[in-house]
Amino acid sequence: MPPSLRASVSLDSGWRFLRADVPGAEAPLFNDSSWSSVSVPHTWNALDGQDGGSNYYRGIGWYRKHFTPAASLAGRRLWLQFDGVNQVADVWVNGVRLGQHRGGFAGFRFDATSSLKLGQDNVVAVKADNRAAADVAPLSADFTFFGGIYRHVSLTGVDPLGVRMGDYGGPGVYLRQRSLSDASASVEVTTRSWNNRGSAARVRVRAVVADHAGVVVGESVSAVRSVNAATGFDTVQTVTIPRPHRWNSKADPYLYSASVEIIDADTGVAKDVVTQPLGLRLASVDASSGFSLNGKRLRLNGVNAHQDRQNAGWAVSADQQREDFDLMDEMGVNALRTAHYQQAANVYDLADARGYVVWTEIPLVNEVADTAAFRANAQQQLLEMIRQNFNHPSIAFWGIGNEQKTSNTATNNLLRDLAASVRAEDSGRLSTYASHIGDLDPVSSHADLAAYNKYYGWYDQSSTGPGAWADRLHARDPLRKIALSEYGAGGSVVQHEENPSPPVTTSRWHPEEYQTLVHENSWAQLKTRDFLWGTFVWNMFDFAVDSRSEGDTLGRNDKGLVTYDRSVRKDAFWFYKSQWTDTPFVHLN
Ligand code: GCB
């Protein structure tokens, strides 16, 4: 693989932070010496927001950082990249406002070329605001909205003749599998580029695919084209890969990589290289036989997961993220719903490498605002999610929302438009939506795939599991592609009762053994319903919900199979491990 030609530096360390709004804090000479020293990922709610009672700080926080970009960056376009700030971020460099980003979960970047002084001290200032905003989804949801710069920050220098950086935060290189058979695979590579030189250029674009060992197995070199100064240009080329090795879930998550080089045709020198993961697979969903991967039915034994951790909030480290995947691996999970939002890039990297089938979604939870600004923001978040994550083979489903409380015109029109945007952006994947009002309500019919959040044994204790519901719906509408997007029950690890039976109280008495019972009953019914395209436990991990009070666990949703601090695997974890893996529980040496 050609090495990257970009110059990238981490800006994670050496920030000053104040949890308040301060007029003029963007000014380069502002005195921040009394502020605390932090590094990012950082959140201002990790330690004091999780005690319940809707009392955590939702407001403005300021971050400032001095740094000296290397003089050797001269001649490059300089992009300041934020992987995630919740939820509205305003960014200045040396007092010059670069822009604002609205939305807490996507990455974003600004062109800082003309504001940065190379080889000298510069000041980046960020105002982050985690209050609800009328035009930004989610307006409400069952989780804590941690505030701050909670993912990484970096500066990347790119040659002015290079892959485009301003594309909804996406990589600028998009891989579309056009055909796949045992004999060959054909991948269409779209490269969005930019000539930011002050003069015209002659350019070639070279796309190569390398196998897992780095051996080039397919290549396409474009004809030379002339590009005027300050012009964007797209190149579409096809790379053929003989005898492809498929990405095949956990059994064999085989990855190729695809690289695109932008070559100055006058000198023959490559100016920019972008490398992306490539997994070749066929995924489909059938209303009677469920999900198939590479032509074989694959039961999606799924879980939902948030992105938080005790004492870290959303500022989850790479090691913690790996540990979460280790726990899912141990339990035998093979499908993940990143409820209810786009998560950090390393979540999708881990899913690619470990063979998870992923449903990722935008945070359109509970309700919509009937305004043009809200609709535009939902579309923006959808495009950011799809462009930024387009090349991850693990992603099979794009989620357009969760549990709208009312099925009014505004909600239905927005869901319809979002489903249409998924089709326009990515014809290779399916859209889905997690519903909970009326099984045949229009809200559940806009996306390609239907899915339902059902809490039998918990919010609805009149029935012991989802089997009868699933059969009824399947019989009424045999062409509907149905999944169970959420099911589960609270499990307190300090309440115990040997043979619990309903009723339990969702806010007080729900012993761990009761949670196990709900899962045993549910799974016994789900495992025989082959028409379901997936089932997803709510939730793999307990998570922070500041407004919740569940008896002994204030500020948490305790439907996880593992506790918030990851120290306890609850009984239901062991139950699923017994169902989903062949690993013996006890090793006798
Ligand atoms: C749901 C929501 C999820 C909640 C969950 C619960 O249906 O989609 O965000 O956390 O129920 O535990 O109530």
Side-chain angles (χ1 to χ4, degrees):
M1 278 293 97
S4 172
L5 299 171
R6 294 183 174 179
S8 212
V9 283
S10 164
L11 298 183
D12 281 353
S13 62
W15 290 85
R16 291 280 186 171
F17 167 70
L18 186 75
R19 199 173 76 172
D21 192 11
V22 193
E26 72 277 14
L29 295 177
F30 180 89
N31 183 355
D32 58 20
S33 57
S34 63
W35 295 14
S36 35
S37 294
V38 300
S39 18
V40 303
H42 172 261
T43 175
W44 59 64
N45 305 112
L47 296 173
D48 63 354
Q50 297 159 3
D51 50 354
S54 297
N55 60 356
Y56 70 107
Y57 181 75
R58 294 191 71 181
I60 289 169
W62 278 91
Y63 294 82
R64 286 169 53 89
K65 177 182 165 65
H66 286 257
F67 78 108
T68 303
S72 58
L73 290 169
R76 293 174 183 258
R77 306 297 297 189
L78 302 174
W79 291 86
L80 193 54
Q81 163 88 27
F82 294 84
D83 292 350
V85 179
N86 195 39
Q87 87 173 338
V88 173
D90 288 276
V91 178
W92 290 261
V93 167
N94 299 326
V96 177
R97 190 161 176 277
L98 295 186
Q100 184 183 70
H101 182 262
R102 301 178 78 74
F105 304 99
F108 58 95
R109 49 175 86 115
F110 295 115
D111 186 344
T113 318
S114 55
S115 331
L116 282 169
K117 296 171 292 178
L118 301 184
Q120 299 173 46
D121 181 52
N122 290 258
V123 182
V124 186
V126 180
K127 179 170 131 183
D129 186 344
N130 69 335
R131 285 174 300 186
D135 62 329
V136 182
L139 298 172
S140 62
D142 185 39
F143 52 84
T144 300
F145 301 92
F146 292 93
I149 304 181
Y150 74 94
R151 292 185 191 147
H152 300 289
V153 182
S154 55
L155 181 75
T156 299
V158 186
D159 194 277
L161 188 61
V163 173
R164 193 147 165 180
M165 296 291 282
D167 192 27
Y168 286 95
V173 169
Y174 303 98
L175 312 171
R176 289 182 176 82
Q177 179 186 297
R178 288 303 187 202
S179 66
L180 176 61
S181 70
D182 289 346
S184 76
S186 150
V187 177
E188 186 183 280
V189 182
T190 302
T191 305
R192 314 203 63 210
S193 325
W194 189 259
N195 175 13
N196 271 312
R197 288 174 171 178
S199 57
R202 290 180 355 106
V203 186
R204 256 186 214 291
V205 178
R206 175 173 177 255
V208 292
V209 170
D211 67 11
H212 206 65
V215 177
V216 172
V217 293
E219 176 174 13
S220 163
V221 182
S222 76
V224 174
R225 72 192 271 184
S226 299
V227 188
N228 291 334
T231 309
F233 58 102
D234 290 356
T235 309
V236 181
Q237 49 203 144
T238 301
V239 179
T240 304
I241 299 148
R243 293 175 308 283
H245 189 150
R246 295 180 189 214
W247 185 92
N248 206 5
S249 183
K250 301 199 85 169
D252 186 12
Y254 188 89
L255 290 175
Y256 292 89
S257 59
S259 294
V260 167
E261 287 175 279
I262 309 293
I263 300 166
D264 179 339
D266 288 326
T267 60
V269 173
K271 294 299 193 182
D272 192 20
V273 177
V274 167
T275 299
Q276 291 286 293
L278 172 67
L280 302 168
R281 82 280 188 284
L282 296 170
S284 61
V285 174
D286 181 271
S288 46
S289 57
F291 181 74
S292 293
L293 190 67
N294 298 319
K296 278 205 194 118
R297 179 165 201 284
L298 178 67
R299 174 178 288 288
L300 295 182
N301 296 332
V303 296
N304 290 272
H306 275 283
Q307 60 181 7
D308 61 348
R309 222 4 136 99
Q310 177 140 18
N311 298 332
W314 286 351
V316 175
S317 71
D319 282 347
Q320 290 174 324
Q321 201 62 67
R322 258 192 305 277
E323 193 191 352
D324 283 359
F325 271 82
D326 290 347
L327 284 161
M328 294 192 289
D329 278 348
E330 182 187 342
M331 200 174 88
V333 179
N334 66 3
L336 170 67
R337 175 177 174 224
T338 69
H340 290 298
Y341 36 71
Q342 176 177 341
Q343 297 191 2
N346 66 337
V347 170
Y348 306 103
D349 290 341
L350 284 161
D352 291 345
R354 298 194 187 195
Y356 284 73
V357 173
V358 171
W359 160 349
T360 191
E361 66 191 33
I362 55 166
L364 194 78
V365 183
N366 285 351
E367 56 198 314
V368 308
D370 189 8
T371 63
F374 185 89
R375 287 188 283 277
N377 182 267
Q379 291 280 2
Q380 171 206 314
Q381 294 200 48
L382 185 79
L383 285 190
E384 290 172 330
M385 173 180 76
I386 296 179
R387 297 257 170 110
Q388 291 175 25
N389 301 298
F390 197 87
N391 300 323
H392 288 289
S394 54
I395 297 175
F397 315 111
W398 297 120
I400 59 172
N402 179 69
E403 278 203 4
Q404 293 299 311
K405 288 182 200 150
T406 51
S407 175
N408 55 22
T409 311
T411 307
N412 280 296
N413 287 351
L414 181 54
L415 290 172
R416 178 200 63 203
D417 293 349
L418 291 167
S421 296
V422 172
R423 285 179 202 117
E425 275 292 304
D426 186 3
S427 57
R429 291 187 178 93
L430 299 165
S431 62
T432 187
Y433 167 78
S435 182
H436 85 139
I437 42 175
D439 290 346
L440 298 177
D441 188 281
V443 290
S444 65
S445 308
H446 300 292
D448 301 328
L449 305 173
Y452 298 87
N453 299 340
K454 295 281 174 185
Y455 286 88
Y456 295 110
W458 184 250
Y459 295 124
D460 178 354
Q461 294 181 23
S462 63
S463 140
T464 60
W469 158 78
D471 290 345
R472 237 179 4 254
L473 180 55
H474 184 50
R476 275 168 78 188
D477 186 356
L479 296 180
R480 185 169 285 249
K481 297 168 179 173
I482 307 166
L484 187 60
S485 32
E486 294 177 20
Y487 68 104
S492 164
V493 290
V494 296
Q495 297 173 357
H496 295 285
E497 186 176 325
E498 210 167 324
N499 290 306
S501 58
V504 294
T505 44
T506 57
S507 59
R508 196 176 45 82
W509 182 252
H510 46 269
E512 184 178 350
E513 293 74 12
Y514 182 75
Q515 180 193 45
T516 316
L517 187 71
V518 168
H519 281 290
E520 285 170 353
N521 285 335
S522 300
W523 182 247
Q525 297 170 23
L526 294 172
K527 69 178 182 193
T528 57
R529 266 88 186 172
D530 283 352
F531 57 87
L532 295 173
W533 62 263
T535 58
F536 297 83
V537 170
W538 190 265
N539 193 292
M540 183 68 199
F541 307 104
D542 289 352
F543 58 94
V545 188
D546 194 71
S547 58
R548 262 186 194 263
S549 156
E550 300 195 325
D552 54 281
T553 52
L554 282 183
R556 300 262 197 293
N557 184 314
D558 68 359
K559 296 188 192 69
L561 305 185
V562 178
T563 52
Y564 193 41
D565 63 2
R566 306 325 190 234
S567 69
V568 178
R569 295 160 173 82
K570 301 183 193 177
D571 289 351
F573 174 101
W574 301 106
F575 167 69
Y576 280 110
K577 183 172 175 181
S578 78
Q579 301 296 302
W580 292 354
T581 72
D582 297 326
T583 320
F585 278 27
V586 181
H587 289 275
L588 298 176
N589 292 314

